[in-house]
Amino acid sequence: METLLLWIGLALTATGLTLALRSDLPFLRNPVRRAAAVIVRHDRSREDGATVYTPVFRFFDERGQPIEVRDQLFSPFPKPGIGERIEIVHPEGLPEKARIPYPVF
């Protein structure tokens, strides 16, 4: 019985890790490109009764086409500020997967 519970726990852990790393798979498979971007606005929403902000940035892909992407993380403050220049990263050939490289992650 203990062995069965252990295997179930391992299966749930593996499933959780797979789901968590799913969005990072293109970054692991493809070379990573860096680009300069500008914050154009913040999308505001309500999360558990609190207002949260998600930065939206614009940059140009390898072909020179403008791309606008909403970052994956949100914060209680609208940072970085609108008009601020930042560096973003994205997998080669997938500019729609761009994100701000946070030091913690």
Side-chain angles (χ1 to χ4, degrees):
M1 184 65 174
E2 290 176 9
T3 305
L4 179 63
L5 291 176
L6 181 63
W7 281 108
I8 290 172
L10 286 172
L12 289 174
T13 302
T15 302
L17 283 173
T18 301
L19 292 174
L21 294 175
R22 183 178 55 188
S23 65
D24 287 337
L25 195 57
F27 284 91
L28 298 173
R29 287 187 173 174
N30 301 328
V32 174
R33 298 277 187 208
R34 295 187 177 275
V38 176
I39 302 295
V40 292
R41 71 174 183 278
H42 290 93
D43 287 347
R44 185 173 55 178
S45 61
R46 303 279 296 170
E47 194 76 30
D48 295 329
T51 302
V52 293
Y53 300 89
T54 306
V56 177
F57 50 87
R58 184 178 298 145
F59 68 100
F60 294 94
D61 66 3
E62 293 97 3
R63 297 180 313 238
Q65 300 294 318
I67 304 286
E68 194 170 288
V69 178
R70 191 179 91 155
D71 197 29
Q72 298 172 356
L73 298 179
F74 52 84
S75 71
F77 306 105
K79 289 189 178 183
I82 294 174
E84 189 172 331
R85 294 193 173 277
I86 59 169
E87 184 180 72
I88 54 99
V89 294
H90 66 85
E92 185 177 274
L94 298 168
E96 66 278 359
K97 299 270 187 194
R99 62 184 177 196
I100 299 171
Y102 295 100
V104 175
F105 299 105

